[in-house]
Amino acid sequence: MKNIARFLKDESGATAIEYGLIAACISVAIIAVVQGVGTKLTNTFQAVQDKLVQ
């Protein structure tokens, strides 16, 4: 029983899990921003190309 109680009180892995969740959230945010900027850049280059072709 002492081993089980000690295991339940041990929180050493919780910090690693929290850091992993934070890293995952930051990664998702970066991907969303890059996709948004990529779309805007594509539209900008397409507009420049259209003006040059005319």
Side-chain angles (χ1 to χ4, degrees):
M1 288 303 280
K2 289 181 183 181
N3 289 335
I4 294 172
R6 187 175 45 187
F7 176 75
L8 293 175
K9 289 181 182 180
D10 185 19
E11 296 182 3
S12 61
T15 304
I17 292 171
E18 290 169 357
Y19 283 133
L21 290 172
I22 291 169
C25 290
I26 291 171
S27 299
V28 169
I30 290 172
I31 290 169
V33 168
V34 168
Q35 284 181 343
V37 170
T39 302
K40 289 180 182 180
L41 281 176
T42 301
N43 293 339
T44 302
F45 285 127
Q46 186 63 44
V48 170
Q49 180 181 1
D50 292 344
K51 295 288 182 181
L52 290 174
V53 171
Q54 291 179 348

